[in-house]
Amino acid sequence: MPPTQKKIMLSAVQPSHLLTLGNYLGALRNWVKLQDDYTCLFFAVDLHALTVKQDPKKLREQTYLALATYIATGIRPETATLFIQSHVPEHAELAWILNCFIYMGELSRMTQFKEKSARQGQAISAGLLTYPALMASDILLYQTHLVPVGEDQKQHIEITRDIAIRMNHIYEVSLFTVPEIYTPPVGARIMSLQNPMCKMSKSDPDSNSAIYLTDTNDQILKKLKKAVTDSGSEITLDDQKPGIQNLLQIQAALSEKTPSEIVSEHTGKQYGHLKIKTAEKIIETIGPIRDRTLELMTHKDYLHSIFQAGAKHARERAQKTLAHVYDQVGLIKGRY
Ligand code: TYM
């Protein structure tokens, strides 16, 4: 299909820490799989990362790292638009408008807000609460059709859809395309290796709980050996064994098989065998991505040139939507 007729697909990762295997299976690898069928925009949401405390130096490095990882995973910078959220000021501008159309009740019901604010105690930033308005802005600015994400982000896209429908209705014009959600059939929710009842998360203070996409082969093997499994020894599809289900999910997602096929391959084998096989599978996929990412990180000028061109291109699109919204809500057009 000619690029101009393709629908828009957009997604992003928060560079708040090193990227994980969860980010890869739930998001990045699906971006790669779908990229030829869409006009793609992928970016690093550095403004979102500021909703929790960040070390400025690390944040900058992690932002480069996120974009390098996108390319190392197989996103083609020649066809996809890659950029950094803060380089396109329209994201923050539209977010303000959307903030005026989202209700406090909707924001405070968000699972991510409840979980993160519980961890932060008293010092909860207002940004953590209004986070979904910025995310909706990210998506709606580009008249996006499809947003590929992991399970945990579904709620944020649903609220984005609600705002788009609400504003289109209030102004009786099509201000925004209402985006669809894509989540993968396997790998949409990878769990922590240390607590399989919780999601594998970049921000988990226990580094053994997550596989980072920059981990060495040795670190991957060690983390898998330490992974919390369950009582018993038989490898079965059983919800009472969440640790085993997680390893089965990871292996299934990485081998393009179903979890029950992985169970059959392990008939009569012990948990230890499953752990080693899962580690091998992760190393096979993540190893080359890690090496390519680290190599790209030695070429920051190249990365810079990509996200500079990306921001320029993204802004052209974003400005059109923002101008239309400003006009429809009643702001006077600037004459500069
Ligand atoms: P973030 O940075 O937490 O996660 C990035 C992507 O990885 C997915 N993911 C997972 N998938 C499976 N298992 C897991 N354990 C796991 N952990 C994370 C997430 O679902 C996500 O797809 N708010 C977003 C970033 C964002 C965004 C956007 C995404 C900002 N604006 C616009 C899409 C469109 C976030 O914090 O993702």
Side-chain angles (χ1 to χ4, degrees):
M1 204 187 282
T4 46
Q5 285 171 23
K6 286 183 181 174
K7 291 188 169 179
I8 308 280
M9 175 168 80
L10 165 151
S11 204
V13 171
Q14 237 189 113
S16 48
H17 200 278
L18 301 173
L19 270 56
T20 69
L21 181 66
N23 297 136
Y24 174 71
L25 291 176
L28 264 64
R29 77 171 189 152
N30 308 307
W31 307 356
V32 175
K33 281 187 193 166
L34 296 166
Q35 68 178 331
D36 289 335
D37 299 333
Y38 291 85
T39 294
C40 299
L41 296 114
F42 301 116
F43 46 109
V45 290
D46 52 349
L47 295 175
H48 274 113
L50 295 176
T51 55
V52 295
K53 197 163 169 262
Q54 296 294 335
D55 170 337
K57 213 168 149 218
K58 276 193 186 161
L59 177 59
R60 263 191 281 277
E61 200 61 10
Q62 284 156 197
T63 305
Y64 275 108
L65 200 53
L67 287 158
T69 309
Y70 295 179
I71 299 170
T73 311
I75 295 295
R76 280 193 302 278
E78 309 80 44
T79 48
T81 300
L82 299 180
F83 63 102
I84 295 173
Q85 186 188 36
S86 63
H87 291 187
V88 181
E90 288 76 12
H91 288 242
E93 292 180 76
L94 180 64
W96 173 256
I97 305 273
L98 301 184
N99 257 317
C100 301
F101 292 85
I102 299 191
Y103 307 126
M104 288 293 285
E106 290 175 313
L107 292 172
S108 55
R109 273 198 298 277
M110 292 290 113
T111 309
Q112 183 173 296
F113 171 70
K114 286 197 252 176
E115 284 175 4
K116 287 198 177 173
S117 56
R119 260 184 266 148
Q120 282 189 351
Q122 294 300 308
I124 303 162
S125 73
L128 201 57
L129 180 70
T130 59
Y131 180 114
L134 182 57
M135 181 155 162
S137 166
D138 294 343
I139 298 169
L140 300 179
L141 263 183
Y142 300 97
Q143 306 295 342
T144 304
H145 297 93
L146 190 72
V147 190
V149 285
E151 188 78 33
D152 63 316
Q153 291 300 318
K154 267 175 132 173
Q155 207 182 23
H156 287 153
I157 313 222
E158 275 152 16
I159 201 174
T160 300
R161 287 172 55 87
D162 291 345
I163 303 166
I165 293 168
R166 182 174 304 156
M167 289 188 69
N168 287 347
H169 180 74
I170 293 173
Y171 293 100
E172 295 179 346
V173 291
S174 174
L175 281 178
F176 303 120
T177 302
V178 181
E180 299 294 329
I181 308 171
Y182 172 90
T183 51
V186 188
R189 190 171 174 80
I190 301 300
M191 308 309 275
S192 153
L193 296 178
Q194 288 301 307
N195 178 2
M197 302 310 283
C198 294
K199 179 189 84 154
M200 182 183 283
S201 165
K202 294 186 217 97
S203 52
D204 194 320
D206 181 355
S207 61
N208 282 322
S209 70
I211 301 289
Y212 303 114
L213 299 183
T214 42
D215 278 349
T216 62
N217 294 352
D218 202 37
Q219 282 171 319
I220 296 174
L221 189 60
K222 280 197 183 124
K223 286 183 183 183
L224 262 292
K225 282 187 179 166
K226 281 190 195 148
V228 169
T229 41
D230 314 282
S231 55
S233 62
E234 210 189 334
I235 299 164
T236 52
L237 283 179
D238 177 354
D239 288 346
Q240 302 302 313
K241 295 181 174 182
I244 294 298
Q245 300 323 296
N246 194 31
L247 300 188
L248 291 172
Q249 283 282 325
I250 293 173
Q251 235 196 93
L254 289 169
S255 344
E256 306 283 351
K257 292 181 180 165
T258 63
S260 65
E261 283 173 307
I262 306 293
V263 170
S264 313
E265 288 174 9
H266 289 78
T267 314
K269 302 269 172 43
Q270 304 283 308
Y271 288 171
H273 187 260
L274 178 67
K275 288 183 178 185
I276 303 283
K277 284 284 161 204
T278 307
E280 285 172 2
K281 203 73 214 162
I282 296 173
I283 290 168
E284 193 184 305
T285 309
I286 298 309
I289 294 176
R290 172 199 58 220
D291 296 347
R292 176 89 182 110
T293 304
L294 297 179
E295 145 82 15
L296 282 164
M297 286 296 279
T298 64
H299 299 284
K300 292 245 174 70
D301 283 355
Y302 167 72
L303 293 175
H304 215 90
S305 68
I306 288 188
F307 58 64
Q308 234 174 349
K312 192 165 172 282
H313 186 238
R315 280 201 82 180
E316 283 163 15
R317 285 180 178 269
Q319 279 168 347
K320 283 192 194 135
T321 301
L322 190 67
H324 189 209
V325 173
Y326 272 15
D327 183 45
Q328 290 295 318
V329 301
L331 306 187
I332 294 175
K333 254 190 205 137
R335 294 173 194 272
Y336 308 109

